[in-house]
Amino acid sequence: MDSFIQKIRDSLGDNDDFFFQQEKIGRANVILMGFISLIDWTRTKETLHANMENWNSDRDDALSMMEAVGEVREMDLSEAITMIMDGKLIVLFESERKLVVATAYPSLLNRAIESPTNENLLQGAISSFIEDIDTNIGMVRKQIVSRHVKVRSFLAGTLCHKKLSLLYDESHADSKLVANIIKQIESSSDKEINNLQNLTKALGLSAWSSVPKFNTTELPEEVAGALIKGRVVLFIDRMPFGLILPNLIWDMFSLENDRNYPLPLMIVIRLLRVIGVLTTLIAPGLYVALVAVNPEVLRIELALTIAQSREGVPYPAIVEMIFMLIILELIIEASTRLPKSIGPTITMVGGIILGQAVVTAKLVSNLLIIILAATTISNSTVVGFQNSLAVRLFKYLIVIMSAMYGVLGLLAGLVLICAYLSSLNTFGISYLNISMNKGESNNG
């Protein structure tokens, strides 16, 4: 017992928030250990004394007393340290060779459930996930009340333990998909998972894929819809969103909240998103192709109008397009990083002044500003921020191909993108798979 206690103190005793306290609870002398920063010590101590005062058992032995305090476990050093680091209270009875994991009131380290900040809803539940993984799982169970929803939890990492929870509906999910994901997580339990790149490597997925392998959402409604469609959802502790596996191409066009609208409106909304993606991909490349390589495709009146708008511009179309696209990316990134109180104002005013200045200075044409505005607005219609990033990246390929080969290069760029998307798969499921959305069509 003394050596066990000494090993714990040697491992954790140099932390100022670690407490090691001898206490008398009922008739037993115990040693309490934990982190004061993770445990509400006052309430926890009161609960321990209350449990012992109310303890009344026919079995007047030490084991019965220990069971009244908490869960009795063997004295395993690594497990005890893990429990303490996880915010549990360890109770050691001096006369016994077992430890007790007592129920501890956690310190209030989590924010309350709030409305989503990255995904806007017009109709539907406005609660969003928070950093506490157990709260997030509870929100999903409130959203989809079904005995078929299963939860599997894992611990990953050796230096920094991170809790992961896997949710799936056993009546809809592919058992092979679930088994493959569980096997991969268990085989990578020694890897540190502190961000999504670490998670991608732990799942055995390519870290160089420009298209995300999982769809992130902070809405319980979207997670519930994904479970019904046979997807698997992964939660990581301290990350306020769920990861839907696998991510499919239709996810950038559809939301579960769309089904709160009448069917004709839902179809129109999703059609607008498809048009938005095509506009984002095609508009910049088409401008470069028609201005620099294939002006003969245009009607003479339109060709003269474009030529007049570019009068005095000293650079070729590809240079002014790449220049303005980079400026636009900088504005978008600045709007993301600046404080919310000043970010929208600075980026809006800066964008207007900059756009007017480059046109007045004859660095770019008026038509290009219109094309860029349409492209930016269209890109914002994509569902999921990571999906929009992938679309923003693909448009540069089409612009470069269009500058070299004109309209033919634009079509070749689209073919290359389609070929790349068709080559993607997640745990054997193609990115272009549409059969996993059958739950949506059946519900409709």
Side-chain angles (χ1 to χ4, degrees):
M1 170 70 76
D2 293 338
S3 62
F4 180 80
I5 295 174
Q6 187 60 41
K7 289 179 181 178
I8 294 182
R9 297 186 70 173
D10 291 342
S11 178
L12 302 176
D14 56 349
N15 294 288
D16 291 340
D17 59 339
F18 176 75
F19 65 85
F20 178 90
Q21 182 172 341
Q22 292 182 331
E23 190 79 18
K24 185 175 181 62
I25 300 180
R27 300 192 301 264
N29 293 319
V30 300
I31 297 175
L32 306 177
M33 291 182 290
F35 279 110
I36 197 69
S37 57
L38 299 177
I39 297 174
D40 187 339
W41 174 235
T42 303
R43 296 180 62 190
T44 301
K45 188 176 179 180
E46 291 175 354
T47 302
L48 285 177
H49 284 282
N51 289 341
M52 292 307 299
E53 290 175 0
N54 297 330
W55 173 61
N56 184 13
S57 174
D58 297 333
R59 295 165 49 208
D60 190 10
D61 57 356
L63 181 60
S64 173
M65 185 184 303
M66 294 168 69
E67 291 175 346
V69 174
E71 182 182 357
V72 182
R73 299 198 178 191
E74 297 294 331
M75 296 179 64
D76 183 273
L77 180 63
S78 61
E79 184 180 19
I81 293 176
T82 300
M83 290 292 180
I84 294 174
M85 296 294 294
D86 197 36
K88 300 293 191 301
L89 176 66
I90 300 299
V91 183
L92 290 176
F93 285 72
E94 296 181 353
S95 60
E96 301 296 324
R97 299 290 301 175
K98 294 181 181 293
L99 60 84
V100 179
V101 181
T103 301
Y105 285 96
S107 297
L108 298 179
L109 303 176
N110 299 312
R111 60 189 173 94
I113 296 175
E114 302 170 353
S115 58
T117 57
N118 298 317
E119 299 176 69
N120 295 323
L121 289 177
L122 297 180
Q123 292 182 350
I126 60 173
S127 58
S128 63
F129 294 128
I130 62 172
E131 288 76 12
D132 182 63
I133 191 171
D134 295 324
T135 302
N136 294 339
I137 295 174
M139 294 172 67
V140 175
R141 287 201 178 276
K142 279 284 188 179
Q143 191 71 36
I144 174 172
V145 182
S146 172
R147 60 185 176 88
H148 298 293
V149 176
K150 304 298 180 182
V151 178
R152 292 286 304 273
S153 296
F154 310 88
L155 275 180
T158 54
L159 299 176
C160 179
H161 293 291
K162 185 72 72 171
K163 183 180 179 182
L164 291 79
S165 291
L166 191 71
L167 278 72
Y168 62 94
D169 190 320
E170 62 178 358
S171 63
H172 293 93
D174 185 357
S175 58
K176 292 183 179 179
L177 173 64
V178 176
N180 288 338
I181 296 177
I182 293 176
K183 180 181 178 181
Q184 189 64 45
I185 293 176
E186 290 178 342
S187 64
S188 304
S189 60
D190 59 332
K191 296 182 178 179
E192 305 296 332
I193 299 179
N194 298 314
N195 49 60
L196 296 188
Q197 289 186 9
N198 294 154
L199 177 64
T200 301
K201 294 179 180 178
L203 293 177
L205 304 174
S206 174
W208 289 96
S209 176
S210 57
V211 177
K213 295 295 186 178
F214 28 72
N215 189 28
T216 60
T217 181
E218 56 181 345
L219 303 176
E221 182 181 9
E222 296 300 316
V223 168
L227 292 175
I228 294 175
K229 297 174 188 175
R231 311 284 187 89
V232 176
V233 179
L234 189 64
F235 285 107
I236 304 176
D237 199 21
R238 314 318 300 169
M239 290 191 179
F241 47 78
L243 306 172
I244 301 175
L245 288 164
N247 182 33
L248 304 179
I249 189 171
W250 188 244
D251 292 337
M252 70 171 65
F253 306 120
S254 66
L255 280 170
E256 191 65 24
N257 185 64
D258 295 340
R259 307 193 68 79
N260 290 326
Y261 302 103
L263 185 60
L265 294 181
M266 183 191 75
I267 294 174
V268 170
I269 290 173
R270 293 182 175 179
L271 181 61
L272 285 174
R273 293 178 186 143
V274 174
I275 295 174
V277 171
L278 294 177
T279 302
T280 302
L281 290 175
I282 295 175
L286 186 62
Y287 172 84
V288 173
L290 296 181
V291 169
V293 184
N294 299 117
E296 69 277 2
V297 176
L298 300 171
R299 293 185 58 181
I300 185 62
E301 296 86 356
L302 183 56
L304 291 174
T305 301
I306 294 176
Q308 184 179 3
S309 69
R310 298 194 73 250
E311 183 180 359
V313 176
Y315 307 111
I318 180 63
V319 174
E320 63 172 338
M321 176 60 74
I322 295 296
F323 171 72
M324 288 305 299
L325 283 176
I326 293 176
I327 293 297
L328 192 60
E329 297 290 352
L330 293 175
I331 293 175
I332 294 175
E333 186 66 17
S335 66
T336 305
R337 304 301 168 207
L338 284 172
K340 293 182 179 180
S341 58
I342 62 174
T345 303
I346 290 179
T347 53
M348 181 181 65
V349 174
I352 294 174
I353 295 175
L354 186 62
Q356 182 64 35
V358 294
V359 171
T360 305
K362 295 295 183 179
L363 296 179
V364 299
S365 64
N366 292 317
L367 181 59
L368 178 61
I369 300 298
I370 299 175
I371 296 294
L372 290 178
T375 300
T376 305
I377 294 172
S378 300
N379 190 70
S380 301
T381 63
V382 178
V383 176
F385 180 70
Q386 290 191 334
N387 290 325
S388 67
L389 290 177
V391 175
R392 283 162 58 183
L393 180 63
F394 288 149
K395 73 173 179 282
Y396 289 97
L397 171 64
I398 295 183
V399 167
I400 294 173
M401 295 288 290
S402 300
M404 292 189 296
Y405 304 109
V407 176
L408 181 61
L410 186 148
L411 296 177
L414 291 176
V415 171
L416 287 177
I417 291 174
C418 292
Y420 172 71
L421 295 181
S422 64
S423 68
L424 299 177
N425 69 84
T426 306
F427 294 103
I429 298 176
S430 173
Y431 181 69
L432 302 182
N433 186 303
I434 60 173
S435 62
M436 294 197 73
N437 292 298
K438 61 184 179 181
E440 180 177 353
S441 60
N442 292 340
N443 293 336

